[in-house]
Amino acid sequence: MNLSDSPSTTDRPVIRITKDQANSSHVDDLLKRQMSLRGELGIARESQGRWYLQSWFVFMLFGGLFALIAWGIIEPFFEDHIYIQGQVKEVVSSDMSSEHPDLKEVHLEDGNVILVTADTELTHHGGKFETLTPGQEVGFYVEWLPDLGEKFSYAVMVEVNPPTPAPPRSKESLNSLSARHTAISMFFFPLIASMIGLGLGAADGIMCRLVQRALLAGVVGLIIGLLGGFVSSICADLVYAPISALASRQTGESVGFFSTTGFLVQMGGRSLAWAFAGVAMGLGQGMALRSGRLALYGLIGGILGGLLGGLLFDPIDFLIVSKSTPSGHWSRMVGITVIGLTVGGMIGLVELLGRDAWFCMTKGPLSGKEFLVFKNTMRMGCSPRSDIYLFNDPGVAEHHAILRATGGSYEIEGMDGAFPVTVNGRVVKRSRLRHGDQVGLGSTQFTFNCKTNNH
């Protein structure tokens, strides 16, 4: 054959590949399959999960929601100060007036004695306390002073236009009112910690439609939060009480009810108190699933979230509550909700930063959700007992696959020959997983991610 008979290179068809085609996911998949066959690390295309399915957002949402529920439960029974109401019998100078010249004693017809000063606030109206007249019906928000006598108290605020008729509890003895106030205060931390623990424990189960897991982890979170809340309440009081007393003794430029320095000291004390409470809020899921890793994430995140939320509590109160408002209902609602948001968000953030391996669902009912590898052996399938539960996929078996983690290496094994497992498009019985591998169970697809690039 003559060379002249061979086709000219100019007559050969030209194959043109566009930039979009070269960067397509199909090319990546083909390259990954080729490299995986050679035992090399495939090309990892990071799958970005939908933000509203990310753990930090889910935990933050459930933490804030259940904190708000906790506020709704306890607020009708919680009072910032003891409230008493009655008719003024007389107003006289106090026996302690030598030390406090402007200190007055307001004697009520029922025998109660309330200490007031010229600086005592008037509720709602603003301004300062003025002389009361005998026979006048007045309400007082007070702090009980049992050292001076059962009937003695110190007025924090004066209600010059009290409700008529007087609330039944305002006629009870100071001893009884103080006991009720103390009892309700004792349940403040435990109730909030238990409700946030319930929400955070149940969050992942609810998102994955695992009723049994949601109930189990939620109940465990509630119990741990309740018991831990009582313990943390005692610890918090030991820390907060002296710091609060120190804050009240500070002098200087006034901010709210404290000086500037006192306000900052108060913020620090409350932050530490909520950090103690946060210890018990995030342990439910880890304890229920017997995962030390999840429990550790919950512990660290709970402490950090409590610190941050507690630090914001007083500024929120300062911005919402005025000096002439006797109760911080709305500021407490916002503050407690912020506690739930920060605890949940910090637990999710700690998990995000501390995780070693995870699956991101790229195709399926929860596409975009990330599933943390939180145990050395994890089951995958449509059984509700699975660690990674796959629903609404008829191609997934009850016990479809098992994932094993050993020393930074990860291996997946199919458990049912009738329901294959694919890795990068190949059916496998058992396969070592590498960062970026595409894993398929039925029609559900995942991208496997890990921080250790083992070849």
Side-chain angles (χ1 to χ4, degrees):
M1 182 178 68
N2 295 327
L3 292 175
S4 59
D5 295 333
S6 61
S8 170
T9 56
T10 58
D11 296 331
R12 296 175 183 174
V14 178
I15 300 175
R16 291 184 174 87
I17 300 176
T18 66
K19 181 178 180 181
D20 290 340
Q21 290 173 330
N23 293 328
S24 69
S25 60
H26 180 63
V27 173
D28 278 354
D29 290 340
L30 291 175
L31 288 171
K32 286 179 63 179
R33 292 180 193 178
Q34 183 184 52
M35 298 179 76
S36 294
L37 289 172
R38 296 201 303 262
E40 300 175 4
L41 180 66
I43 297 175
R45 301 179 71 251
E46 294 289 343
S47 299
Q48 298 297 326
R50 286 180 280 186
W51 63 271
Y52 55 85
L53 291 177
Q54 301 303 298
S55 294
W56 64 267
F57 180 77
V58 172
F59 285 144
M60 187 170 69
L61 177 65
F62 276 81
L65 176 61
F66 278 79
L68 183 60
I69 293 173
W71 171 84
I73 294 173
I74 199 170
E75 191 61 31
F77 307 97
F78 189 85
E79 296 175 345
D80 295 82
H81 305 287
I82 297 172
Y83 180 76
I84 58 176
Q85 184 174 324
Q87 286 189 344
V88 176
K89 181 179 181 180
E90 61 178 345
V91 180
V92 298
S93 296
S94 172
D95 294 338
M96 296 178 286
S97 58
S98 58
E99 299 177 9
H100 306 280
D102 63 343
L103 191 63
K104 303 289 185 181
E105 293 182 3
V106 179
H107 292 252
L108 302 182
E109 293 289 351
D110 59 9
N112 281 316
V113 179
I114 297 95
L115 301 178
V116 297
T117 69
D119 292 327
T120 302
E121 297 285 343
L122 298 180
T123 64
H124 307 299
H125 309 282
K128 301 297 181 182
F129 167 75
E130 297 177 356
T131 303
L132 301 175
T133 58
Q136 182 179 355
E137 185 80 10
V138 184
F140 296 90
Y141 293 91
V142 302
E143 297 288 347
W144 186 33
L145 302 174
D147 293 341
L148 298 180
E150 290 189 3
K151 296 284 188 177
F152 278 78
S153 60
Y154 175 77
V156 178
M157 288 188 182
V158 179
E159 176 64 80
V160 293
N161 294 314
T164 304
R169 279 190 291 179
S170 68
K171 299 298 183 180
E172 295 182 23
S173 68
L174 282 170
N175 190 11
S176 173
L177 292 170
S178 179
R180 178 186 287 110
H181 184 269
T182 301
I184 294 174
S185 298
M186 285 179 59
F187 281 92
F188 186 77
F189 272 167
L191 178 62
I192 294 171
S194 63
M195 290 304 297
I196 294 177
L198 169 62
L200 296 179
D204 195 63
I206 293 174
M207 291 298 297
C208 294
R209 304 185 190 180
L210 277 169
V211 177
Q212 184 177 357
R213 180 187 295 183
L215 289 174
L216 174 62
V219 170
V220 171
L222 185 145
I223 294 173
I224 293 176
L226 186 65
L227 298 178
F230 277 112
V231 175
S232 64
S233 179
I234 296 172
C235 297
D237 283 341
L238 294 175
V239 173
Y240 180 70
I243 293 179
S244 181
L246 175 63
S248 65
R249 290 196 297 268
Q250 302 301 310
T251 58
E253 183 184 354
S254 178
V255 177
F257 295 103
F258 295 100
S259 68
T260 303
T261 303
F263 187 75
L264 295 176
V265 173
Q266 172 82 355
M267 286 175 58
R270 200 181 298 274
S271 179
L272 289 175
W274 278 110
F276 280 112
V279 169
M281 294 181 188
L283 295 176
Q285 186 182 28
M287 299 293 286
L289 299 179
R290 300 178 182 179
S291 170
R293 181 183 292 268
L294 289 180
L296 181 62
Y297 292 160
L299 176 66
I300 297 174
I303 293 173
L304 294 177
L307 278 171
L308 178 59
L311 200 63
L312 298 174
F313 205 96
D314 284 294
I316 290 171
D317 183 73
F318 174 68
L319 291 173
I320 296 178
V321 178
S322 67
K323 284 187 176 183
S324 60
T325 303
S327 177
H329 295 307
W330 302 118
S331 68
R332 197 158 37 247
M333 179 193 74
V334 176
I336 291 173
T337 303
V338 167
I339 294 289
L341 292 171
T342 55
V343 169
M346 290 305 295
I347 290 175
L349 182 60
V350 169
E351 177 183 302
L352 184 67
L353 297 176
R355 63 188 181 179
D356 292 323
W358 64 99
F359 288 93
C360 180
M361 185 179 289
T362 56
K363 181 182 178 183
L366 292 176
S367 180
K369 177 172 171 54
E370 295 176 345
F371 297 83
L372 180 70
V373 177
F374 58 85
K375 293 195 297 188
N376 291 334
T377 301
M378 294 185 62
R379 297 165 297 176
M380 306 173 71
C382 66
S383 168
R385 293 182 176 273
S386 300
D387 297 301
I388 298 180
Y389 173 57
L390 307 176
F391 55 90
N392 290 350
D393 188 344
V396 175
E398 187 171 350
H399 303 291
H400 198 120
I402 189 167
L403 177 74
R404 297 183 180 90
T406 307
S409 296
Y410 302 89
E411 181 184 78
I412 192 168
E413 179 181 359
M415 302 301 292
D416 190 332
F419 295 87
V421 175
T422 64
V423 177
N424 298 324
R426 295 184 301 113
V427 176
V428 298
K429 171 60 179 174
R430 178 182 298 176
S431 177
R432 188 176 181 182
L433 295 180
R434 299 169 179 83
H435 180 64
D437 281 347
Q438 306 299 308
V439 179
L441 285 75
S443 60
T444 304
Q445 298 290 320
F446 297 93
T447 296
F448 177 73
N449 303 273
C450 66
K451 293 182 178 179
T452 54
N453 294 331
N454 292 301
H455 296 276

